[in-house]
Amino acid sequence: MSALITNGVAIDDTFAEAFDMRGTALVITADSAKWALQAATTMTGFATSVIACGCEAGIDRELGSLETPDGRPGVRVLLFAVSTTELQKQLQNRVGQCVLTSPGSACYAGLDVGEDRLKLGAAIRYFADGWQIAKKIGERRFWRLPVMDGEFVCESSVAMTKRAVGGGNLLIMGATPQTTLAATEAAVEAMRAVPDAIMPFPGGIVRSGSKVGSKYKGAVASTNHFYCPTLRGAVASEIGPEIGSVLEIVIDGLTSEAVAAAMRAGLKAIIDLGPARGALRVGAGNYGGKLGKHHYRLRELTP
Amino acid sequence: MSALTFTLRCPPPQRVDLCALTPAQLAGKSLAEIAALPIQTNRAPLCVGDLFALKDGERGTIVFEGGAERLDRLGAGLDTGAIRVIGAVGVEAGRGMSGGALTIEGDAGPYAGSGLRGGVLRIEGDAGERLGGPRAGETEGMNGGLIHVAGHAGDRAGDRLRRGFILIEGAAGDCAGSRMIAGTLAIGGKAGALPGYLMNRGTILLAGGCDEMAPTFGDCGVHGLTAARLLASYVETHSPNLAAAFRQPLRRYAGDLAALGKGEIFSTTT
């Protein structure tokens, strides 16, 4: 595979292959930024991969009090799933168990326009056992649920887009685990500034990249042995002797443009850091272009 | 292009029905056709041209120069465009509005905004009784939109209110928000006796207290509610004073427990 060398970092002539997803966004507020972040963090926990978590979710960005409906500090979170039914289920369960339960929280639609709408407060209101109150303010409808610290306010519904994309990715390869992690952290930091995109894995990083299938029945995915440095001499490895560690960043976005923008920002950060303190090489995961309709060519995204 | 202007020649000799003078109904009509429109409400014929001097202008914006308490149903059925009245109006101003903006730079008679479904009705003077309320026999009052009264309002403001906002900067008469179905009624001054009488749902804000609270409302204590912050944000552009009141700690009274009891009165006098 030929590589483009930019600032000493090799960029593989390959592409990331991504898939259509259903996506939505919420704005979670609380009396303080600390508790808004706590609710958002809890809600987006165990949401790294649709393979086993049902959805992929993460924090898009923190919001100032002037940016939220109720004038309190907030956090915008994004959720993605493979079907409308699954996204509705995950949304309802996660808001019900993680946001409703968090002190002082409120939950609003973070996406106004989409092909469909998902129930939000309209699904959770029954917790109030008949004491729930609907309030229409302008064109927006809210539910007020009495809870033990006051009231939980939750917008009745939220828009859902069918144009979301999941599975954009970068494979960051370095000489040591330390330099590889430094480059990947720099990329994630830069990608977090891109709106409408999240990196759902821990700290935005995956160390256990997977391939489709397994030698074991029932396992839909297994370790990506082509990129495991400890198997380099035993398999048809994709990495050379100079590579001692590989990390992956997976990107989900409300639009394909958001995924591309995040990948572009990440690539720039990796290249700017250079090979001495960061990555030697950047690649991407794909399935030969046969499974996902979104292809992000690294060469086209390289600054 | 300037607004289509109706200048009142003299006080009306009878009550007149001006519901035909809205932008949608005047679109495409010549000035002569407009002047010939009948507006009488008794057997003495009366046309627009008899009562008003007309000045041609854009049909989407209408100005009435001069008012009188016999100018009834002005802006009724308004669905688009803007009407401005420099003066007072009679009964049922803006009744059944579904869009657009009606501004009355004077007092309005009873039933202003009756059955409003959308749009904005602004009354810069006082409003008569049953602001936004239903006519006798109707089951619902206002069902959307916003009414803002800079002055005071008479008895039963917001009667059978179902949806939308009524904002009264001044005082209100007795039984404000009576039989409310839902929606929001905010009163900046003092309300009369028995606000929220037999209300089922909805929110009433009393920023200046009331003469007598019904015994069928339960005191739920003082709270700083997120829902009140949302209401404050929405009314801010229309009434900074009422928005400020919504942001204060509010005593919540649940009621009317003689009816469904899912309504509430917020009071700033804690």
Side-chain angles (χ1 to χ4, degrees), chain A residues 25-40:
Chain A
L26 301 178
V27 170
I28 297 168
T29 65
D31 291 332
S32 66
K34 172 191 166 184
W35 279 102
L37 190 59
Q38 181 64 65

Side-chain angles (χ1 to χ4, degrees), chain B residues 118-188:
Chain B
V120 176
L121 168 58
R122 203 173 302 283
I123 299 168
E124 297 189 358
D126 297 335
E129 65 178 47
R130 296 179 189 261
L131 175 70
R135 282 177 175 169
E138 292 179 342
T139 56
E140 290 178 359
M142 181 172 153
N143 198 358
L146 184 141
I147 298 176
H148 179 247
V149 179
H152 309 303
D155 292 345
R156 291 194 174 240
D159 184 40
R160 284 199 183 273
L161 173 64
R162 182 167 186 268
R163 191 174 291 144
F165 282 74
I166 297 178
L167 310 176
I168 301 166
E169 300 285 352
D174 291 343
C175 297
S178 57
R179 307 185 294 176
M180 265 176 67
I181 301 165
T184 303
L185 167 65
I187 301 166

Side-chain angles (χ1 to χ4, degrees), chain A residues 248-268:
Chain A
E248 183 176 358
I249 301 173
V250 173
I251 305 115
D252 298 335
L254 291 176
T255 63
S256 180
E257 291 77 17
V259 173
M263 288 181 64
R264 189 178 293 114
L267 274 169
K268 181 177 186 309

Side-chain angles (χ1 to χ4, degrees), chain A residues 70-72 108 130 135 137 144, chain B residues 183-184 203 226 229 262 264:
Chain A
D70 60 24
R72 302 187 299 167
Y108 307 101
K135 198 78 194 162
I137 302 177
R144 298 165 53 192
Chain B
T184 303
T203 302
T226 304
R229 300 172 72 102
K262 290 192 172 181
E264 63 193 350

Side-chain angles (χ1 to χ4, degrees), chain B residues 217-223 250-255 257 263-265:
Chain B
F217 278 79
D219 184 352
C220 299
V222 178
H223 305 278
L250 297 169
R251 183 171 291 280
R252 181 176 189 270
Y253 295 91
L257 299 171
E264 63 193 350
I265 294 177

